[in-house]
């Protein structure tokens, strides 16, 4: 069976995440500790004890989520799980996908995403940016709402997560105006998200420039597993092209619907979410109900997935 492994990004973190996996498999804690050592921070204790406000800070969340994705991946491989046919990651999750594919060293990726988070946070003044989820409108209607709000500032559709579920981002007054325009157009819900960094819109271009410079000091190898990237829904083997896609990802939409559709078109038999929670599995079912989705988030889920391979 052809399998795609996908790695979640910010928003899937929670206090005590992966507790059952960590109790069953020491490599989970070891992975968090390895990431923490690379940054000089105690990421394991932060993930267990919080405080929750610190867990939710972009500069902490990004390396934590990378560690969580890799912890689940290492458990899978340690238990003899087969390499998937493709990997992909949602936003930040693309870095975990690249590590799993052998394109990035884990500790290099940890340091890189910590820098990425800092660049993003510093690109827009605190409270100046915002993101919002719009539910129940098609993509064109969401983009039209953003255009209506344009006089109030930058606002763009940035995450195409599932049919009828799009995230917008930009300057806070414009995002708030777009929320009202979306509601006027019949959105079932439109609400601000609890984040301060307006990811994947053009306000992130200064952060992208800094990321491009940081990537020059990181070794990228051709992936051993095809990685479907966010920016182009494409598979790249050239390290320079991979780096360029990571740079553009910062100010380009996450095209998750198209990513899942590509798995279907190429004959995937299932998609496995590798990390805490089941956010991507839920989105995937909404994108294509014919494609089985599972989450590798507990020992029981791991056993079930391994049995499917027998």
């Amino acid at each position: 069976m052809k399998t795609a492994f996908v790695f979640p990004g910010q928003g899937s973190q929670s206090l005590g995440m992966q507790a059952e996996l960590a109790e069953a498999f020491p490599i989970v804690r070891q992975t968090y500790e390895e990431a923490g050592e690379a940054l000089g921070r105690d990421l394991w204790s932060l993930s267990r004890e919080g405080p929750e406000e610190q867990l939710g800070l972009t500069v902490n969340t990004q390396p934590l989520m990378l560690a969580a994705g890799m912890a689940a991946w290492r458990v899978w491989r340690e238990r003899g799980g087969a390499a998937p046919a493709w990997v992909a990651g949602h936003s930040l999750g693309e870095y975990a996908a690249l590590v799993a594919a052998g394109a990035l060293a884990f500790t290099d990726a940890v340091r890189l995403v910590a820098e990425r988070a800092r660049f993003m946070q510093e690109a827009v003044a605190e409270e100046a940016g915002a993101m919002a989820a719009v539910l129940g409108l098609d993509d064109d209607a969401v983009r039209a709402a953003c255009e209506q709000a344009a006089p109030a500032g930058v606002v763009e559709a940035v995450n195409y997560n599932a049919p009828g579920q799009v995230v917008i981002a930009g300057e806070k007054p414009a995002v708030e105006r777009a929320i009202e325009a979306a509601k006027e157009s019949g959105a079932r819900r439109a609400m601000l998200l609890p984040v301060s960094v307006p990811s994947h819109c053009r306000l992130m271009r200064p952060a992208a420039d800094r990321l491009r410079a940081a990537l020059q000091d990181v070794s990228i190898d051709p992936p051993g597993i095809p990685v479907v990237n966010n920016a182009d829904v494409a598979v790249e083997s050239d390290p320079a092209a991979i780096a360029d896609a990571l740079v553009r990802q910062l100010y380009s939409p996450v095209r998750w619907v198209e990513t899942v559709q590509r798995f279907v078109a190429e004959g995937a038999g299932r998609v496995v979410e590798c990390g805490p929670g089941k956010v991507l599995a839920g989105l995937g079912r909404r994108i294509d109900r014919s494609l089985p989705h599972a989450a590798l988030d507990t020992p029981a889920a791991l056993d079930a997935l391994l049995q499917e391979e027998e």
Side-chain angles (χ1 to χ4, degrees), residues 69-95:
M70 291 318 300
W73 170 257
R74 287 174 169 181
V75 167
W76 173 255
R77 297 297 279 161
E78 185 179 70
R79 287 293 308 277
W86 314 269
V87 291
H90 189 286
S91 186
L92 168 71
E94 188 165 312
Y95 289 81

Side-chain angles (χ1 to χ4, degrees), residues 157-247:
V158 297
N159 290 358
Y160 295 98
N161 286 334
Q165 184 173 331
V166 179
V167 174
I168 62 175
E171 294 170 292
K172 194 168 186 179
V175 172
E176 291 172 338
R177 177 67 194 96
I179 287 173
E180 294 310 310
K183 289 177 178 177
E184 290 164 7
S185 297
R188 188 170 73 252
R189 289 184 70 192
M191 64 282 190
L192 287 171
L193 297 174
V195 297
S196 58
V197 176
S199 303
H200 302 294
C201 73
R202 63 180 181 269
L203 297 177
M204 288 294 106
R205 281 185 177 271
D209 291 339
R210 297 173 73 185
L211 181 64
R212 188 182 298 278
L215 279 161
Q216 292 177 1
D217 297 325
V218 176
S219 176
I220 299 177
D221 295 320
I225 304 169
V227 181
V228 181
N229 69 31
N230 286 190
D232 309 306
V233 198
V235 173
E236 301 287 358
S237 57
D238 176 58
I242 292 168
D244 181 64
L246 289 175
V247 170

Side-chain angles (χ1 to χ4, degrees), residues 31-147:
T31 301
Y32 280 79
E33 290 177 341
E34 184 182 347
E37 287 169 10
L39 299 178
R41 303 184 213 164
D42 189 350
L43 292 180
W44 174 251
S45 294
L46 177 58
S47 72
R48 301 303 103 186
E49 302 161 13
E52 204 155 352
E53 315 84 70
Q54 290 293 315
L55 189 73
L57 289 178
T58 296
V59 291
N60 291 326
T61 306
Q62 294 203 23
L64 274 168
M65 283 302 301
L66 174 59
M70 291 318 300
W73 170 257
R74 287 174 169 181
V75 167
W76 173 255
R77 297 297 279 161
E78 185 179 70
R79 287 293 308 277
W86 314 269
V87 291
H90 189 286
S91 186
L92 168 71
E94 188 165 312
Y95 289 81
L98 287 165
V99 176
L104 279 175
F106 177 51
T107 52
D108 284 348
V110 169
R111 296 186 191 99
L112 187 60
V113 300
E115 287 289 273
R116 176 183 185 266
R118 183 169 64 85
F119 299 155
M120 292 171 70
Q121 194 72 64
E122 293 174 356
V124 178
E126 194 172 350
E127 303 299 324
M131 299 183 77
V134 180
L135 308 180
L137 286 185
D138 64 31
D139 296 351
D140 287 341
V142 174
R143 286 189 287 262
C146 291
E147 288 173 12

